[in-house]
Amino acid sequence: MKGIQIILLMGVGLISIVLIKRLRKRIFETLLLAILIAAATIFILWPNITNRIAQVLGVGRGADMIFYICILIFWLIVVQLWDRIHKLELTVTKMIRSEAIRNVSTP
């Protein structure tokens, strides 16, 4: 086993521990996380698998395929965060408006 594999496996392990503690009661997210952890572990231990999958998909190297997938996941997260922030802004605006209307003093 190479040094980078040990570092990556330790990183996956630490991230897994943190996320599993946070997702304890969410079954779907925990199951998805377990699948991602298993895939990451397999790809770290046997990197040639990613090369084979990449060739089937028409990508030059497995590392490129993983990079492309990470870009897609990144944009998915950005869109979800943008949506969540937008909803929070609307909620805060409604709360401030209703509080301002309640505090209006009539002459």
Side-chain angles (χ1 to χ4, degrees):
M1 186 175 300
K2 297 179 182 176
I4 190 67
Q5 289 175 315
I6 294 170
I7 293 170
L8 291 173
L9 287 173
M10 287 173 49
V12 168
L14 289 173
I15 292 169
S16 303
I17 291 168
V18 170
L19 291 177
I20 286 172
K21 285 183 179 181
R22 289 186 183 178
L23 298 176
R24 228 178 237 162
K25 296 182 182 178
R26 299 182 197 163
I27 301 297
F28 177 74
E29 286 91 352
T30 306
L31 181 62
L32 182 62
L33 178 64
I35 292 169
L36 290 174
I37 291 168
T41 303
I42 289 169
F43 292 157
I44 290 168
L45 292 175
W46 298 285
N48 289 333
I49 292 173
T50 59
N51 289 334
R52 290 185 201 138
I53 295 171
Q55 288 173 353
V56 169
L57 296 176
V59 180
R61 299 179 306 161
D64 294 338
M65 179 191 68
I66 297 295
F67 182 70
Y68 299 150
I69 291 170
C70 287
I71 290 172
L72 289 175
I73 292 170
F74 169 76
W75 279 108
L76 174 68
I77 291 169
V78 166
V79 169
Q80 287 179 333
L81 287 174
W82 178 84
D83 185 51
R84 185 175 292 173
I85 290 169
H86 182 69
K87 287 177 183 176
L88 286 172
E89 287 175 346
L90 290 175
T91 302
V92 169
T93 302
K94 287 178 185 177
M95 289 172 48
I96 291 173
R97 238 184 235 145
S98 67
E99 186 67 24
I101 290 171
R102 258 190 277 148
N103 291 334
V104 169
S105 60
T106 54

